[in-house]
Amino acid sequence: MVARQIQHTVDQRFGPRWGAAAGEFLRQKFYSHGAEQSVDEIMLAATGKRLDPQFSIDYLRGTPAGNSPTLSKPSHAR
């Protein structure tokens, strides 16, 4: 679940072919926090959303990233 949400965010920012800038983003936003924050806190700070199973659901259904009507709604509207 975490991987799908991270992949969606990095793809949105850097496209499907990640380079050094994407690696630096991952290092700064995810890999440098250790136990300082919970997974939800890290995901919210880095992706703008708390951990959301919809990214994995869409992936398994074959729904293109960002085309889910559920993902386009703000998290407080669900």
Side-chain angles (χ1 to χ4, degrees):
M1 225 168 62
V2 171
R4 286 290 137 218
Q5 190 165 339
I6 292 171
Q7 180 181 9
H8 173 81
T9 299
V10 177
D11 284 350
Q12 293 297 306
R13 287 178 177 252
F14 302 99
R17 300 190 74 148
W18 303 355
E24 184 58 29
F25 173 80
L26 291 170
R27 197 171 7 270
Q28 288 178 359
K29 297 292 185 178
F30 297 100
Y31 304 133
S32 64
H33 294 286
E36 295 173 3
Q37 297 175 311
S38 70
V39 170
D40 260 351
E41 291 169 329
I42 292 170
M43 296 303 286
L44 182 59
T47 71
K49 295 178 183 273
R50 295 193 181 284
L51 186 58
D52 186 343
Q54 193 63 48
F55 292 96
S56 294
I57 292 166
D58 288 349
Y59 174 78
L60 293 171
R61 286 184 177 158
T63 304
N67 289 345
S68 170
T70 306
L71 290 177
S72 61
K73 294 178 186 175
S75 60
H76 65 276
R78 290 187 208 155

